[in-house]
Amino acid sequence: MRKSGAIRKAAATVVCGALAMSLTGCGGSGHSRAKGGGNGGASGTAAAPHGTAPARVPGIGDRLWRQVPAATRQVVAVYGAGPDSPDATVRLFTRQGSGWRQERSWPAHNGRNGWTADHHEGDQRTPVGVFTLSDAGGVLADPGARLPYTRSASFQAPHSWNKNSWHDFDYVIAIDYNRVRGTSPEDPTRPEGQHKGGSIWLHMDHGSGTSACVSQSEDAMRYLLRTLDPRLHPVVVMGDTRDLAA
C-alpha cells in the first residue's frame, strides 16, 4: 500500500506500513466504499458440508448489509475480536441461491489499535465498513489470481524492518478504501485526501497487529487470490463484532 510519514514511524514496530519511496504501505485510509444495493488455520477451516445456508452473512447487521451491492456473490468477512483489539478472524462466504455458504476461515490481525469508523492517517486502526475488492499484486509471481495482479519488486518491505515482516507484501489484495479502482495496489492516488489515509490491504501476516491492514497466512492469501472473482463482485465487510452486528 502507500507510503506515509506516520507509517514509516511505525516500521520499527513491524506493522504493515508504507514501503520506501515507491510504496506507501498498508496504513491510513480514505473511503472508497462499495455502493449499497441490498443483498436482502494455515490452510483455513472449511465450511460444514451440511445445513441450510443463512440468508445473509452471519454476524452482519442491517446497517452494513444494506451497503453490500446486490450483484455481490463473494464476501470476505473480517470479524474483529474487539474495538481496540488487533486480533480477528477472516471468513470467506459465497452466495448459493438465496443463501450464503462459508467456504473457509482463518485467524488474522487488523490494526494494532483496533477499529474505527473514521479512519485517519497514522491512527493504526482499521476502517470499519464495506469495500469492494478489485486489484491485487505482490513481490511474488501471480499464483493464479482472478483479480488483476501486478507483480513488482517495489512491494518489498524495507529490510530495516524486523525480519519477520519482510514478506508481508509477497501477496496483497487492495481494499478499495480511498483509492482508484482498476489500478495497482501501489497507486498512491487518494481521492479523499492524504489525511484520510489509504493503502489498506489484505496481506500476509507477521504475527501481530498492523498499521491498518488485515493480515493472514500465506495459504489464506493464495486461496483468496485464486478464488476471488471479479465476475462475482467480491467485497470485504470488516469491523469488530459489535460494529458488524449493528
Side-chain angles (χ1 to χ4, degrees), residues 23 33 38 40 44 48 57 88 105 109 112 125 128 162-163 173 184 193 213 223:
L23 190 58
R33 294 196 175 185
V57 171
S105 177
H109 289 99
R112 63 148 61 98
R125 290 180 179 270
V128 175
N162 189 297
K163 189 173 182 179
I173 298 171
S184 166
C213 295
Y223 187 88

Side-chain angles (χ1 to χ4, degrees), residues 26-99:
C26 132
S29 314
H31 295 65
S32 180
R33 294 196 175 185
K35 301 259 195 251
N39 259 300
S43 299
T45 302
H50 57 277
T52 303
R56 68 166 64 176
V57 171
I60 310 300
D62 291 343
R63 179 177 62 86
L64 291 178
W65 192 247
R66 284 193 294 264
Q67 298 178 40
V68 177
T72 291
R73 295 295 180 269
Q74 290 178 320
V75 169
V76 177
V78 184
Y79 300 88
D84 301 315
S85 172
D87 299 321
T89 299
V90 168
R91 296 174 183 161
L92 174 64
F93 293 87
T94 300
R95 179 99 181 220
Q96 295 188 339
S98 60

Side-chain angles (χ1 to χ4, degrees), residues 75-167:
V75 169
V76 177
V78 184
Y79 300 88
D84 301 315
S85 172
D87 299 321
T89 299
V90 168
R91 296 174 183 161
L92 174 64
F93 293 87
T94 300
R95 179 99 181 220
Q96 295 188 339
S98 60
W100 289 86
R101 173 185 170 84
Q102 180 179 308
E103 304 292 348
R104 290 289 189 276
S105 177
W106 303 276
H109 289 99
N110 51 265
R112 63 148 61 98
N113 289 337
W115 297 87
T116 179
D118 185 23
H119 177 73
H120 286 77
E121 185 77 34
D123 64 12
Q124 297 183 34
R125 290 180 179 270
T126 302
V128 175
V130 178
F131 307 96
T132 52
L133 299 170
S134 306
D135 305 283
V139 175
L140 299 181
D142 185 347
R146 298 188 179 192
L147 296 174
Y149 188 92
T150 301
R151 183 186 187 187
S152 173
S154 62
F155 281 100
Q156 177 64 57
H159 280 199
S160 58
W161 291 11
N162 189 297
K163 189 173 182 179
N164 69 355
S165 194
W166 288 0
H167 296 286

Side-chain angles (χ1 to χ4, degrees), residues 28-32 119 131 176-179 192-193 196-198 200:
S29 314
H31 295 65
S32 180
H119 177 73
F131 307 96
D176 293 336
Y177 173 92
N178 199 19
R179 70 178 300 269
E192 296 187 31
K196 293 296 290 182
I200 309 297

